[in-house]
Amino acid sequence: HGSAHPIVAKTITEIANLSLDREELGDATELLQRAFDMAQSTLGDAHPLLAGVYDSIGRTTLALNQIEKAEQALLYAQKLRTEQFGEDHPFVADSLLSVAALRSRQGDHAHAQTLANTAVTILAARLSPDHPRVAHAADMVGDYLQQQGKHDEARGWYLRALKLRTDKLAPTHPAIAENLTRLGELALLAGNAQEAVQRLTEALTLRQRQLIPEHPVILNHMESLAAACHAAGDTNAANVLKGQIA
């Protein structure tokens, strides 16, 4: 295809997104600049592929705490996608979730929640109500509700996401462990220590099947579970966990 072909730009963007998921932000930034230059030179400023690059640039700069740059890139990506595909397209839902993360970082959790809610509605209608992307968006709605102190509502969204995932995914899938962790940490915040212990124990058990014992995710889970055990009055279990972390 040649090194400047749009398919190459798309592939580079996908590799950059994997780097972003792994929090390798330097690699993601470098790759996205290459993808951007390539896509812009071959496709111009208004191509849907460029909107995807802008969205990834926005999410990367947000992770780097470059809020103004992130806002410019994410809003431009949303504008391009809305113009190209219409307001109810899954790509527009992706943009809404990206902008929601930005608004939450800026402290406007209520606006973030509204955007994520809209994304859930679009994805459920255009893909299917039980699609994995609906579960991801439902988690984000739950996060923004939790940040507003609306624990009962957040729990409802987390449970919805967990049900979607347990219906669709293998029982040992990492996304299920993430959901259980969210529910456990929320229960601890809401003062339900027993539920927190149960959820976080399940999450840790799943993680231990997937990761090496000294992995940072395992250690973080053990710290959360130790805090839950302590809150539930089980100081022996809390101390055992703390000893294993040390």
Side-chain angles (χ1 to χ4, degrees), residues 79-91:
K79 176 177 176 287
L80 281 183
R81 284 171 163 171
T82 305
E83 287 170 358
Q84 294 281 341
F85 300 112
E87 290 186 353
D88 64 344
H89 193 280
F91 283 160

Side-chain angles (χ1 to χ4, degrees), residues 116-162:
N117 257 321
T118 305
V120 169
T121 304
I122 293 169
L123 292 169
R126 292 296 299 268
L127 300 176
S128 73
D130 60 352
H131 195 278
R133 282 164 70 181
V134 175
H136 169 67
D139 268 339
M140 291 183 72
V141 175
D143 288 348
Y144 303 138
L145 285 163
Q146 179 182 323
Q147 285 157 345
Q148 294 172 76
K150 298 177 178 178
H151 295 153
D152 287 346
E153 287 181 67
R155 187 173 185 275
W157 282 93
Y158 289 156
L159 287 170
R160 176 179 175 180
L162 180 63

Side-chain angles (χ1 to χ4, degrees), residues 44-213:
D45 282 330
H47 193 276
L49 177 60
L50 203 65
V53 179
Y54 270 112
D55 188 77
S56 297
I57 289 170
R59 290 185 297 114
T60 304
T61 48
L62 184 61
L64 290 164
N65 215 31
Q66 297 168 3
I67 304 297
E68 277 185 37
K69 275 188 186 176
E71 185 163 29
Q72 286 177 344
L74 292 174
L75 292 179
Y76 190 63
Q78 183 187 357
K79 176 177 176 287
L80 281 183
R81 284 171 163 171
T82 305
E83 287 170 358
Q84 294 281 341
F85 300 112
E87 290 186 353
D88 64 344
H89 193 280
F91 283 160
V92 174
D94 291 342
S95 269
L96 291 173
L97 292 174
S98 297
V99 176
L102 168 74
R103 296 303 177 220
S104 177
R105 180 71 67 85
Q106 292 171 320
D108 192 349
H109 305 305
H111 188 193
Q113 179 211 327
T114 302
L115 293 168
N117 257 321
T118 305
V120 169
T121 304
I122 293 169
L123 292 169
R126 292 296 299 268
L127 300 176
S128 73
D130 60 352
H131 195 278
R133 282 164 70 181
V134 175
H136 169 67
D139 268 339
M140 291 183 72
V141 175
D143 288 348
Y144 303 138
L145 285 163
Q146 179 182 323
Q147 285 157 345
Q148 294 172 76
K150 298 177 178 178
H151 295 153
D152 287 346
E153 287 181 67
R155 187 173 185 275
W157 282 93
Y158 289 156
L159 287 170
R160 176 179 175 180
L162 180 63
K163 183 175 188 321
L164 289 176
R165 287 185 170 127
T166 49
D167 287 350
K168 284 277 185 183
L169 302 173
T172 54
H173 195 283
I176 292 174
E178 281 172 26
N179 255 129
L180 290 167
T181 303
R182 277 180 158 95
L183 281 162
E185 290 176 350
L186 178 67
L188 192 55
L189 271 178
N192 302 326
Q194 295 294 345
E195 184 189 347
V197 169
Q198 180 200 332
R199 299 287 191 187
L200 292 170
T201 301
E202 288 178 58
L204 179 60
T205 304
L206 285 179
R207 289 301 200 188
Q208 285 171 327
R209 290 179 192 163
Q210 298 152 0
L211 302 169
I212 57 171

